[in-house]
Amino acid sequence: MASNRHLGRIVALQTLYEQDFRSECHDEAFSLDSVLARNIARYEETIDDKEFISRLVQGVATHQTELDGVIQPVAPEWPIAQIARMDRIILRIGVYELLFDSKVPPKVVINEAVELAKAFGGDNSSKFINGVLGTVLRNQEAQEAVKSTSKKITKPKNKKK
């Protein structure tokens, strides 16, 4: 199943890459659902968990603005539009899985993103992806720790005199 999920992420990456490219070209004929169906069909006999791919693609597409809002402060020297398209999409997939898919352990998410960056990104992509996603994970863990601590703190009861 793990290698199947890896292939699923590759199909999601291809689909989201095409979406990003065709959106930038203002291609009004683009249909995310049809491109996703076409890309899944190419690997139909190899992929078992088609729902995983669909959920990943739809989730990233739906939450793109929010995902970019998480990425931008973590990589302030790189405005979203200036991050290489492939790296930007890998980051969106990774951040989506970190924030919205609790079924996948965070270290697996980061490792998978780094592997995608090694296979499809530039020379320094894997280091960049690892650094950004590692920071996003640490920020998320810190926020959860604060929430957990604030739940434990209770308001003192007023004592009657």
Side-chain angles (χ1 to χ4, degrees), residues 7-59:
L7 179 57
R9 286 182 181 91
I10 292 171
V11 172
L13 178 62
Q14 291 172 335
T15 304
L16 292 164
Y17 186 93
E18 184 170 345
Q19 176 197 32
D20 195 75
F21 181 81
R22 289 177 68 179
S23 294
E24 188 177 292
C25 296
H26 307 289
D27 182 352
E28 294 177 18
F30 178 77
S31 165
L32 183 61
D33 291 335
S34 63
V35 170
L36 177 59
R38 181 194 68 212
N39 288 344
I40 288 175
R42 287 180 180 164
Y43 301 97
E44 185 124 28
E45 294 181 19
T46 327
I47 297 173
D48 298 325
D49 195 355
K50 295 169 185 72
E51 180 59 34
F52 168 74
I53 302 167
S54 182
R55 209 173 46 248
L56 192 56
V57 168
Q58 296 298 338

Side-chain angles (χ1 to χ4, degrees), residues 58-123:
Q58 296 298 338
V60 170
T62 301
H63 296 282
Q64 180 176 321
T65 304
E66 184 180 352
L67 299 172
D68 289 350
V70 171
I71 295 165
Q72 190 57 72
V74 177
E77 296 84 23
W78 292 95
I80 292 294
Q82 290 181 7
I83 297 174
R85 186 182 319 273
M86 188 61 70
D87 293 354
R88 183 171 60 235
I89 294 166
I90 293 169
L91 283 171
R92 287 175 181 158
I93 291 170
V95 171
Y96 175 79
E97 285 193 278
L98 286 173
L99 299 181
F100 296 100
D101 191 350
S102 60
K103 295 177 187 174
V104 183
K107 290 185 180 188
V108 172
V109 169
I110 293 172
N111 185 56
E112 283 290 320
V114 167
E115 291 304 315
L116 289 174
K118 286 178 182 176
F120 301 105
D123 291 341

